Amino acid sequence: RRTDAAAAPSAHRLSSSAPAPASLRASAYGRRQRSSAMVARAMAAEIIDGKAIAQAVRDEVRDKVTAMRAKTGKAPGLAVVLVGERKDSQTYVRSKKKACEEAGIESFGTDLPEDATEEEVLAVVAAYNADPNVHGILVQLPMPKHINEERVLGAIDYEKDVDGFHPLNIGRLSQRGREPLFVPCTPRGCIELLERTGIPIAGKEAVVVGRSNVVGTPAALLLQRRDATVTIVHSRTPNPEEICRRADIVIAACGQMEMVKGSWLKPGCAVIDVGINAKDDPSKKRGYRLVGDVEYDSAAEVAGHITPVPGGVGPMTIAILLQNTLEGAERAFGP
């Protein structure tokens, strides 16, 4: 019986204690480098282009609004209520008005001062509820602390609740055999990204990181309605990495900068990153750059599909808002 050493040709037999010749070491190093590069290329995730998909949704909305105007002489109307003078909220409101204009949707707006009373805000909401030209009402959040947001949002007619936060819409979303009139924009945008990219949901294991009323909980409900097996990871979950590693789909919406690492992910999974955080970066003119709740570089080496930040989920939110407003008008005008 020959040993491995005996079986090897004597000319190429090397002592276990002697170092390999430099040429062989260099050759082996080169092979390892090429192998690592090939693995990295093989595992590099496909980027889900949120800008392109959002533009497709906006184009579809614009075409349907044009057809609606031609048929009925009417257009969808969106009313936005802003309380206070937060710069970020003002920026969001301007972007929504611009998006409405581009889609052919009529834009209405009321700006109230920081010290506006809750009753004044409720009066504005009531007026828009009664206005037949308004098919969607959005109250920009957050509002000043002295105003009860839950009371204001609950006062919006659920048939005009384009944010999808009214208890009746959320309640219907949570029940089988019930259909909400509106679904919250960002979670619906996440599902659109998956479906328009051709990523299967039914029968897959999905993990939502975060349980907020705005994104996490509705996203989990939407995945469940599409027959995924859904787990929610939250601040009290003891083993988030282990749970995420089982998932075919991960939606990260926890508000924690780069919390989800590549080591948390199942190879080939789809990653939807809802987060947007400012990370210090002296190389940037602003001194920071935007990152998500997922550590993008490490995740992109493992995932099959991934959304970038910015340019992923963000553009979808306004696109779905326009779509929700259109659907509200279609119900109001009838077939």
Side-chain angles (χ1 to χ4, degrees):
R1 207 174 85 185
R2 296 192 304 173
T3 65
D4 290 341
S10 59
H12 298 290
R13 197 176 301 149
L14 297 173
S15 168
S16 60
S17 60
S23 60
L24 289 180
R25 292 200 304 271
S27 176
Y29 175 78
R31 286 196 299 272
R32 286 197 302 271
Q33 291 293 93
R34 288 193 296 273
S35 177
S36 297
M38 290 173 66
V39 170
R41 285 197 298 272
M43 294 306 296
E46 179 181 332
I47 295 174
I48 300 174
D49 189 343
K51 289 182 179 179
I53 295 174
Q55 189 59 55
V57 172
R58 290 167 73 151
D59 290 345
E60 292 165 10
V61 170
R62 185 192 62 238
D63 292 345
K64 289 180 180 180
V65 170
T66 300
M68 179 180 287
R69 284 181 180 271
K71 181 180 179 180
T72 67
K74 300 176 182 178
L78 174 66
V80 180
V81 180
L82 175 63
V83 185
E85 298 179 354
R86 284 177 59 112
K87 297 298 182 185
D88 56 346
S89 292
Q90 291 173 337
T91 299
Y92 294 146
V93 168
R94 281 195 300 270
S95 64
K96 288 166 184 173
K97 288 181 178 179
K98 181 182 178 183
C100 283
E101 181 181 347
E102 292 173 353
I105 292 174
E106 298 290 341
S107 181
F108 302 84
T110 299
D111 295 350
L112 296 172
E114 184 81 18
D115 60 356
T117 67
E118 189 172 306
E119 297 306 320
E120 288 174 324
V121 178
L122 290 169
V124 170
V125 169
Y128 284 134
N129 281 341
D131 189 339
N133 296 311
V134 172
H135 308 98
I137 301 171
L138 184 150
V139 176
Q140 185 65 43
L141 302 178
M143 285 186 283
K145 292 182 179 179
H146 67 277
I147 293 176
N148 184 332
E149 290 184 356
E150 183 177 354
R151 186 181 177 207
V152 171
L153 295 177
I156 297 172
D157 184 342
Y158 78 99
E159 294 183 338
K160 299 186 179 186
D161 170 41
V162 285
D163 256 342
F165 295 150
H166 193 285
L168 282 175
N169 282 319
I170 289 293
R172 287 181 172 183
L173 180 64
S174 69
Q175 295 180 323
R176 289 174 60 84
R178 305 287 190 274
E179 291 298 326
L181 297 183
F182 298 103
V183 172
C185 300
T186 299
R188 182 176 175 182
C190 294
I191 301 301
E192 288 278 347
L193 289 172
L194 292 169
E195 292 181 334
R196 290 179 183 247
T197 306
I199 295 168
I201 299 176
K204 300 299 181 180
E205 189 156 357
V207 168
V208 179
V209 185
R211 53 178 172 178
S212 73
N213 291 335
V214 176
V215 181
T217 298
L221 292 171
L222 286 168
L223 288 165
Q224 183 174 282
R225 288 173 75 90
R226 284 159 175 78
D227 298 320
T229 300
V230 185
T231 303
I232 295 178
V233 166
H234 51 77
S235 58
R236 298 298 181 91
T237 303
N239 53 343
E241 304 98 320
E242 180 183 334
I243 293 171
C244 286
R245 236 174 258 127
R246 301 197 305 258
D248 303 296
I249 298 167
V250 175
I251 296 181
C254 55
Q256 298 295 317
M257 181 167 61
E258 298 182 328
M259 175 179 168
V260 179
K261 315 295 184 185
S263 60
W264 290 29
L265 302 175
K266 176 181 180 179
C269 70
V271 178
I272 305 295
D273 190 352
V274 181
I276 184 162
N277 311 278
K279 183 176 184 178
D280 291 341
D281 187 342
S283 69
K284 300 295 182 182
K285 185 177 180 180
R286 295 177 295 183
Y288 67 90
R289 59 189 172 91
L290 297 178
V291 299
D293 292 348
V294 176
E295 188 179 70
Y296 182 84
D297 289 345
S298 65
E301 293 179 0
V302 181
H305 295 81
I306 191 169
T307 57
V309 176
V313 175
M316 292 298 295
T317 299
I318 290 182
I320 299 300
L321 174 64
L322 301 177
Q323 191 171 54
N324 279 354
T325 303
L326 169 65
E327 291 171 0
E330 288 173 336
R331 282 191 291 268
F333 296 152

